[in-house]
């Protein structure tokens, strides 16, 4: 089995029911779902899963990406802005919700430890 497949199945195993349904195509993916799943797979150091999500769903959101890029270009000259400052609370919420939906209690505990270590390692408040 390739690393991509191993990462994919591991991530699906950790996902709650709704995320699993999204990733398996049972529920229509929204742009906000894509954004959240991109962040989570990046945060969890799952680059192959991140790429697979992009390959499967990125094309259907080209217009939203174009609009975001346009807004960014238009506002960049107006003010200095660091999107990480705005998104930090939302990202933390996404991680907490993802961890809380893990179906297996042992896996839930292990991932919560990983998340805590990652927050401390990066100097983020947990």
């Amino acid at each position: 089995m390739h690393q991509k497949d191993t990462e994919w199945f591991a991530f699906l195993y950790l996902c709650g029911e709704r995320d699993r349904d999204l990733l398996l195509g049972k529920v229509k993916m929204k742009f906000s779902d894509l954004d959240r799943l991109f962040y989570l797979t990046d945060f969890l150091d799952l680059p192959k899963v991140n790429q697979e999500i992009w390959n499967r769903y990125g094309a259907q959101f080209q217009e939203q990406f174009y609009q975001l890029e346009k807004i960014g270009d238009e506002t960049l000259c107006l003010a200095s802005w660091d999107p990480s400052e705005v998104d930090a609370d939302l990202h933390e919420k996404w991680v907490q919700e993802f961890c809380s939906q893990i179906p297996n209690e042992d896996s839930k505990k292990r991932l919560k430890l990983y998340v805590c270590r990652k927050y401390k390692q990066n100097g983020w408040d947990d």
Side-chain angles (χ1 to χ4, degrees):
M1 188 179 283
H2 297 295
Q3 180 182 352
K4 177 183 90 168
D5 296 328
T6 304
E7 283 186 18
W8 182 256
F9 288 119
F11 187 66
L12 283 176
Y13 176 77
L14 294 174
C15 284
E17 185 177 349
R18 183 173 185 285
D19 286 340
R20 225 180 352 267
D21 287 347
L22 285 167
L23 294 168
L24 295 174
K26 295 178 180 180
V27 175
K28 184 173 173 48
M29 179 84 62
K30 294 185 285 186
F31 187 73
S32 58
D33 296 319
L34 181 74
D35 187 29
R36 182 177 52 80
L37 291 168
F38 255 24
Y39 177 78
L40 289 169
T41 54
D42 184 55
F43 178 83
L44 297 172
D45 298 319
L46 297 170
K48 304 285 185 191
V49 176
N50 194 285
Q51 185 63 49
E52 183 65 22
I53 292 170
W54 174 256
N55 291 343
R56 290 182 184 197
Y57 301 101
Q60 75 186 47
F61 297 107
Q62 285 182 342
E63 181 60 28
Q64 287 93 334
F65 286 117
Y66 171 74
Q67 293 299 326
L68 285 173
E69 182 178 50
K70 187 176 172 183
I71 290 168
D73 289 345
E74 291 172 357
T75 59
L76 188 60
C77 63
L78 298 176
S80 171
W81 179 64
D82 181 0
S84 66
E85 293 173 358
V86 175
D87 295 338
D89 289 339
L90 179 60
H91 291 164
E92 185 174 342
K93 178 184 170 199
W94 287 345
V95 171
Q96 289 174 354
E97 285 176 352
F98 182 81
C99 289
S100 72
Q101 295 175 19
I102 296 172
N104 178 281
E105 286 301 317
D106 187 50
S107 297
K108 187 182 293 190
K109 288 177 189 174
R110 289 174 188 265
L111 190 61
K112 283 183 178 183
L113 287 172
Y114 172 82
V115 167
C116 287
R117 272 184 267 154
K118 186 153 184 161
Y119 278 142
K120 285 179 175 58
Q121 184 180 49
N122 290 303
W124 302 329
D125 295 332
D126 53 344

